[in-house]
């Protein structure tokens, strides 16, 4: 039995015998699993206006080009789409979000939302000569978010120069929140870092960027750039679609504060491929879940991401729930409020359909937000 106050705070978590011993007999019964509200550790609220506009299976380089072409929508259309996306996440039982931003336009939506947000304000710039200017713009945008939770973070290995990583490192003293980075979302990312070949060459050409200065490291993208990130700062690696066991071993040895985010529906939408989830589980990683954006997904539902993973891998429901709730809360530093059903917390409560097959619990087709 779970007691919930009017303010959403959990007042009691009792078994049947404990409830009977305390004389509690007026209980609202539900058929299903009662679980904490979901934590979405990777979303792009700013891209919500692009829903359904980009074709599936473009590959990451093609997808990025399409996103760049559509960045010019008017602010009103972007704000309306963001508001609808925020409402969709709330109705889908999401209580906290790690959201990617490249500007400050989402500030108003986040300030008025019932969802708790941490904004990851991304910096980009593969030309080392632009590093200081990129950091300057990011600091300016960060200041516009005022009292909201914001970290300045690298976008991805292929979009951040060594000089820009160095500038980011200098911010550690003033910007100690968690950080995220897109990681190995496409095979071309590793090919570029190892050999300076592949689809990213066309992407840089599209962007008008001369990369004659760049020399490949001969290593995968993760092994090349992870040493630039402070091991003392909680870091979320997002997507990991083409991450190998060797990459995982290197990363876990080099960085003591890693979390690994899976966004399976977006991976299928863009690259039509899923990460090696069995390998990630075997390595004992701290895994979280994300929805990515409506530009790369048909909806913003952590429950749907869990279903997609369950359809493709044999993952116990208890493990999926840990990824969807507590691990994300721990990464974002909000486990004192979210992530588990414990007295004194306000984690939200969702009701999930389930079935039992040969003694194994399986997610059902639906869920609803209770509190």
């Amino acid at each position: 039995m779970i007691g919930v106050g009017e303010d959403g705070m959990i007042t009691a978590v009792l078994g049947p015998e404990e409830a009977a011993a305390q004389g509690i007999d007026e209980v609202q019964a539900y058929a299903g699993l009662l679980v904490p509200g979901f934590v979405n550790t990777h979303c792009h609220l700013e891209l919500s206006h692009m829903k359904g506009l980009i074709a599936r299976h473009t590959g990451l380089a093609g997808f990025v080009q399409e996103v760049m072409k559509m960045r010019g929508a008017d602010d009103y259309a972007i704000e309306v789409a963001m508001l609808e996306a925020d409402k969709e996440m709330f109705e889908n039982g999401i209580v906290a979000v790690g959201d990617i931003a490249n500007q400050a336009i989402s500030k108003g939506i986040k300030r008025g939302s019932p969802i708790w947000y941490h904004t990851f304000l991304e910096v980009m710039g593969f030309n080392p000569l632009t590093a200081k200017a990129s950091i300057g713009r990011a600091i300016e945008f960060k200041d516009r978010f005022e009292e909201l939770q914001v970290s300045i973070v690298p976008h991805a290995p292929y979009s951040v120069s060594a000089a820009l990583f160095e500038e980011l490192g200098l911010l550690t003293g003033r910007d100690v929140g968690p950080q995220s980075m897109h990681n190995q979302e496409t095979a071309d990312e590793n090919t570029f870092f190892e050999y300076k070949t592949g689809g990213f060459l066309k992407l840089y050409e599209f962007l008008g960027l001369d990369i004659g200065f760049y020399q490949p490291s001969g290593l995968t993208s993760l092994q090349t750039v992870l040493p630039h990130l402070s091991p003392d700062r909680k870091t979320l690696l997002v997507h990991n679609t083409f991450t190998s066991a060797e990459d995982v071993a290197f990363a876990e040895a080099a960085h003591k504060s890693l979390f690994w985010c899976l966004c399976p529906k977006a991976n299928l939408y863009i690259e039509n491929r899923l990460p090696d989830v069995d390998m990630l589980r075997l390595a004992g990683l701290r895994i979280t879940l994300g929805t990515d954006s409506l530009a790369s997904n048909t909806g913003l539902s952590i429950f749907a991401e869990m279903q997609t993973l369950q359809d493709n891998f044999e993952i116990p429901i208890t493990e999926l729930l840990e990824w969807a709730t507590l691990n994300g809360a721990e990464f974002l530093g909000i486990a004192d409020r979210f992530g588990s059903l414990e007295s004194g917390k306000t984690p939200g409560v969702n009701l999930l359909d389930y079935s039992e097959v040969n003694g194994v619990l399986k997610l059902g087709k639906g869920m609803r937000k209770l509190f």
Side-chain angles (χ1 to χ4, degrees):
M1 188 203 82
I2 301 170
V4 183
E6 292 183 0
D7 59 355
M9 180 176 289
I10 303 295
T11 58
V13 180
L14 304 172
E17 294 182 359
E18 294 174 299
Q22 295 185 27
I24 300 174
D25 53 13
E26 293 185 10
V27 178
Q28 174 66 56
Y30 295 97
L33 296 176
L34 292 175
V35 304
F38 299 130
V39 179
N40 180 1
T41 55
H42 185 73
C43 186
H44 291 255
L45 204 60
E46 287 178 3
L47 305 185
S48 299
H49 63 289
M50 300 182 189
K51 182 177 182 180
L53 298 182
I54 300 178
R56 294 174 182 267
H57 309 161
T58 59
L60 182 64
F63 178 81
V64 171
Q65 291 183 46
E66 291 302 311
V67 168
M68 297 296 292
K69 292 175 185 176
M70 298 180 190
R71 278 286 191 184
D74 68 86
D75 287 355
Y76 177 75
I78 294 173
E79 288 178 1
V80 169
M82 287 192 298
L83 184 62
E84 292 175 349
D86 175 77
K87 180 174 181 286
E88 178 182 346
M89 285 194 283
F90 180 74
E91 291 175 346
N92 280 325
I94 293 171
V95 296
V97 175
D99 184 61
I100 300 297
N102 299 108
Q103 52 187 321
I105 194 169
S106 62
K107 177 181 72 174
I109 302 296
K110 292 169 180 173
R111 180 180 289 166
S113 175
I115 294 174
W116 185 94
Y117 280 94
H118 186 106
T119 299
F120 295 107
L121 186 59
E122 289 182 332
V123 292
M124 303 182 195
F126 199 64
N127 185 336
L129 299 178
T130 66
K132 290 188 181 296
S134 296
I135 285 293
R137 285 194 299 272
I139 292 173
E140 178 186 342
F141 280 131
K142 183 177 186 292
D143 290 342
R144 294 184 194 177
F145 278 93
E146 298 171 344
E147 77 282 0
L148 297 177
Q149 298 291 316
V150 182
S151 301
I152 298 176
V153 303
H155 166 250
Y158 59 84
S159 62
V160 177
S161 66
L164 186 48
F165 273 115
E166 184 176 346
E167 292 291 335
L168 280 164
L170 298 176
L171 293 177
T172 302
R174 58 177 290 172
D175 184 53
V176 294
Q179 64 182 340
S180 75
M181 182 178 72
H182 294 79
N183 178 58
Q184 295 172 309
E185 196 173 351
T186 178
D188 281 336
E189 183 175 318
N190 286 327
T191 301
F192 177 71
F193 277 85
E194 291 175 305
Y195 311 110
K196 197 179 178 179
T197 59
F200 276 114
L201 297 181
K202 292 184 178 179
L203 175 61
Y204 294 126
E205 182 180 350
F206 169 80
L207 296 173
L209 179 61
D210 181 358
I211 60 167
F213 63 88
Y214 173 72
Q215 294 298 317
S217 66
L219 303 172
T220 65
S221 63
L222 182 60
Q223 294 182 38
T224 302
V225 305
L226 189 62
H228 291 293
L229 302 180
S230 170
D232 298 320
R233 190 173 172 191
K234 284 192 293 187
T235 299
L236 186 71
L237 299 176
V238 181
H239 293 301
N240 314 299
T241 322
F242 290 83
T243 301
S244 68
E246 291 76 14
D247 287 320
V248 168
F250 172 88
E252 288 290 302
H255 199 299
K256 64 184 180 182
S257 304
L258 287 181
F259 291 76
W260 304 72
C261 179
L262 304 180
C263 306
K265 292 191 67 181
N267 300 151
L268 291 171
Y269 195 106
I270 297 173
E271 290 278 343
N272 197 28
R273 169 164 169 156
L274 292 171
D276 188 347
V277 176
D278 290 332
M279 179 273 292
L280 300 176
R281 292 178 61 217
L282 185 63
L285 306 182
R286 290 177 290 187
I287 296 174
T288 72
L289 299 182
T291 61
D292 209 40
S293 74
L294 286 174
S296 59
N297 206 333
T298 56
L300 301 178
S301 166
I302 290 296
F303 183 69
E305 303 295 332
M306 294 167 66
Q307 289 176 311
T308 299
L309 287 169
Q310 187 175 250
D311 288 344
N312 289 275
F313 303 95
E314 292 293 330
I315 307 172
I317 195 170
T318 52
E319 194 172 344
L320 280 172
L321 287 171
E322 186 176 19
W323 299 356
T325 58
L326 185 58
N327 285 2
E330 289 181 343
F331 166 66
L332 292 170
I334 53 174
D336 60 329
R337 298 169 54 191
F338 302 102
S340 61
L341 299 176
E342 298 180 59
S343 294
K345 290 189 176 185
T346 53
V349 180
N350 294 331
L351 180 67
L352 310 187
D353 293 340
Y354 76 97
S355 61
E356 188 171 339
V357 181
N358 298 324
V360 178
L361 296 183
K362 297 285 187 180
L363 291 173
K365 294 184 178 180
M367 62 78 58
R368 65 184 174 112
K369 178 182 179 67
L370 294 182
F371 301 101

